[in-house]
């Protein structure tokens, strides 16, 4: 029995050895595949890696070349350090770090020398004590300053380098002679390293934070559009044509139903991109289609509205998955306007996204927004007309909820459209020929006297002027939006 | 005229000089106030700043003290650098950076020495070329690896230091003799700096990432509770009692209506805190009420559910601000159950938050959850019964939507309650006296015959012996805790 088990063990061990290369190969293949996928998802990552390698090799020339080494000595090390620490993925990131590092080093170096001089006044005994106290106070104060949200967003790295340089200069001043020569060498090598990074990141396949932001916001609108265009099909028609392409996967292998989810957590990324793209609009110079003073901050507004829209979609999704089944009869009554509204919202968003991507005038989306409004009115008529006998509200509530939230989404899309229009004006998108009168001034339309189908602009007027008492406030104006958002709803409004 | 204007200018200038000190004083006062507010918001910030200053002063002793200086020389500089770069606000952050830095330096130093030796085989001419190529390849590969989301979350700093150290050692090996001595000095000073940081951050007023996470999640539940408890009053009763405290401000000066908004963007913060609190549960040691293997990842689940709830609240808020006015008649019909449901949800969440904060058994929230379910049933009955004659669905839809979304919120609260219960089991929250027999294991109690209060040691055993087949493992032993955490809960256990 024992011999048998030993033999078995041996066989197992042998089999293990035999399968080991295969397993190793499989492991390596899977790692290689994930590398490949990472590179294919965004080929700029590969370029960036090579850029960093190139910058480092270039800077290490300081060491290899005899004349350069004689000039800089061991301080050349600081150039290597600078390149590694400062080189970021986006141009804005690299510039911000370079400038932060440069100015902080300069400032802290000067202060450090001053502190050394001041401490030396206290004699050989008192010098280390005074230096220690100065380092303690400055480090504590600067560390505290890093907690200010504004400082953290823009100058965190600078303050860090400030503490670093100040302590190093102040402390080493106590021992190292010829401190000024050393400081000069160090500053010049840092500038050299920083300049190398800046030049390489700007001139070799640059990755602009601003462009990333622009594309991210536009593609968020597209994701919302994809959901809304497919939504009607899923909610109302799913039982009828199951083989339709509503469940088709998009590029990332996720169902289109999930695409919008990534938008909900986009706030931090958008804010950091904005802060990289513009410090008083100056981190990144003008590039490609973007001028120096491109209104980057305006993207935050569009991004916030897109997130708002995504939250609504999340709730609609939850309602769809709800356990209460809506009455099919009622669903049938609101199906038409709901589907149309959702699809038109999707089309409007798609048009807005395209206009952003091509940086052309977004007025082609206006007709979609108008259609959305018309569909909203139709939905309201359908709701008014849908007085079912002995209505079971329990069965109606979920469908009514979906309808109501869709109305909110349509309003959101309208706001997004306004925000994109504002962006197009402030960023001077290319104008296309506009055939229609702009709908912002409805009061002109009121005096027309022509009977039109409900889907045109006049319908709009009646719809928006719900607050009867306040005639002079146009609900389209941005001020009114602001008031709406910042004020807690008053009892009357509720 | 000219004389007059010159006199005027002079007067203005003089007035400017006169008001300048006042303006300066106002400016300084406002800055001082914002400093004070920053410190009062979280006094740990002040402590942290002093800790950094203290650590720096301590490390700079390396320079001042003659015997220490003779041992480390200029390399003592690296200890200062390490302290500045490595000291983070939370213990987990500091430990993670220290360990990352230590291991990366060690590994890259070794590899750098190997690269130097390898390059020296190619002769004096070939050496810089081979070194340059090696630095280029390694830097590019390591930079690419930083793009992997997993690496970025945990080892980003380590990889950065790896590139840094490797290039510095490889490059300077070309010039500096006695490289091994230098590397040894550098490594030991880094270890010294790192150890100083770790000791100070752990033993002087420690800020634990885990505790922060725990409190953040609990206070998110509280914010949701505050909204839900006040909601019924605002939506249904606002017209009647206008003087109520629903508009009262909370501590942060925001209306309670806005408190939940911060939850929607909490994902990134929670994830980073989890990754600091636990790397295979080992960044932060056990502290205070938290054991070493506290189920930190479980907080992500609760956090995600809280965010889900916040999205729903956001939509309800949008519905409240909607332009379509709901029929008062219909609102009156659903008012009772809706208000009750919302208030019970709020109470349940408050009970759960309290149980998390005090780390006691959350079963007191169970009754609230049951009440919520009862209110949900009432709402459904009310909806079924509310067959208004000639119903105007347009006016009903918004209220129906609010009702439907409230139902979804109630479901969410139920899930949160389940998640908190799971947490309380896995983290062994203190049991309070439970009047009922624990549902997990009734059969053992049947054979005992001795009645004891459940809160004592036997009660503990009975409660913990969920895995029926393995009697000899006491669940209080650390081994079993390990098993508990790494195994996915079996259906029987759950």
């Amino acid at each position: 029995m024992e011999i048998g088990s030993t033999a078995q063990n041996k066989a197992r061990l042998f089999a293990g050895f035999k399968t080991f290369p295969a397993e190793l190969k499989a492991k390596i293949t899977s790692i290689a595949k994930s590398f490949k996928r990472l590179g294919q998802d965004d080929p700029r990552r590969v370029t960036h890696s090579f850029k960093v390698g190139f910058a480092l090799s270039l800077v290490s020339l300081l060491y290899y070349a005899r004349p350069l080494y004689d000039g800089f000595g061991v301080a050349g090390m600081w150039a290597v350090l600078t390149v590694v620490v400062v080189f970021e993925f986006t141009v804005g990131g690299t510039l911000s770090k370079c400038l932060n590092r440069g100015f902080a080093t300069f400032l802290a170096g000067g202060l450090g020398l001053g502190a050394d001089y001041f401490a030396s006044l206290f004699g050989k005994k008192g010098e280390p004590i005074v230096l220690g106290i100065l380092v303690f106070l400055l480090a504590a104060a600067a560390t505290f300053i890093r907690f200010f949200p504004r400082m953290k967003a823009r100058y965190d790295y600078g303050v860090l380098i400030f503490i670093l340089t100040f302590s190093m200069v102040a402390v080493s001043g106590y021992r190292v002679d010829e401190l000024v020569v050393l400081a000069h060498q160090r500053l010049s090598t840092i500038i050299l390293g920083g300049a190398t990074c800046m030049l390489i990141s700007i001139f070799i396949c640059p990755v602009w934070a601003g462009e990333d932001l622009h594309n991210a916001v536009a593609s968020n609108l597209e994701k919302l559009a994809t959901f809304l265009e497919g939504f009607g099909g899923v909610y109302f028609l799913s039982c009828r044509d199951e083989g339709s392409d509503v469940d088709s996967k998009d590029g990332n292998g996720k169902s289109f139903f999930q695409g919008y989810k990534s938008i909900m957590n986009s706030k931090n990324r958008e804010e950091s991109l904005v802060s990289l793209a513009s410090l008083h609009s100056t981190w990144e110079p003008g590039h490609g289609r973007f001028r120096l003073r491109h209104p980057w901050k305006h993207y935050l507004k569009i991004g916030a509205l897109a997130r708002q829209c995504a939250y609504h979609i999340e709730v609609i999704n939850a309602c769809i998955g709800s356990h209460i089944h809506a009455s099919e009869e009622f669903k049938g009554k609101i199906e038409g306007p709901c589907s149309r509204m959702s699809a038109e919202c999707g089309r409007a968003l798609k048009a807005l996204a395209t206009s952003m991507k091509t940086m052309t005038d977004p007025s082609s989306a206006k007709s979609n927004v108008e259609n959305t409004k018309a569909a909203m009115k139709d939905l309201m008529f359908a709701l008014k007309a849908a007085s079912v006998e002995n209505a079971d509200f329990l069965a109606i509530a979920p469908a009514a909820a979906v309808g109501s939230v869709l109305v909110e989404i349509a309003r959101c899309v309208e706001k997004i459209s306004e925000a994109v229009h504002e962006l197009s004006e402030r960023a001077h998108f290319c104008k296309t020929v506009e055939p229609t009168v702009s709908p912002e001034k409805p009061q002109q339309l009121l005096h027309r006297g022509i009977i039109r189908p409900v889907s045109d602009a006049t319908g709009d007027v009646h719809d928006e002027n719900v607050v009867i008492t306040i005639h002079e406030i146009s609900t389209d104006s941005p001020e009114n939006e602001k008031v709406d958002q910042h004020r807690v709803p008053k009892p009357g409004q509720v």
Side-chain angles (χ1 to χ4, degrees), chain A residues 165-183:
Chain A
T165 312
F166 178 80
S167 350
M168 283 173 84
V169 171
V171 166
S172 61
Y174 181 64
R175 291 277 174 201
V176 182
D177 306 323
E178 300 174 12
L179 192 67
V180 180
V181 176
L182 194 81

Side-chain angles (χ1 to χ4, degrees), chain A residues 29-40:
Chain A
T29 319
S30 90
I31 289 177
K33 264 185 194 161
S34 65
F35 263 76
K36 202 178 156 195
R37 211 179 311 124
L38 199 70
Q40 277 174 339

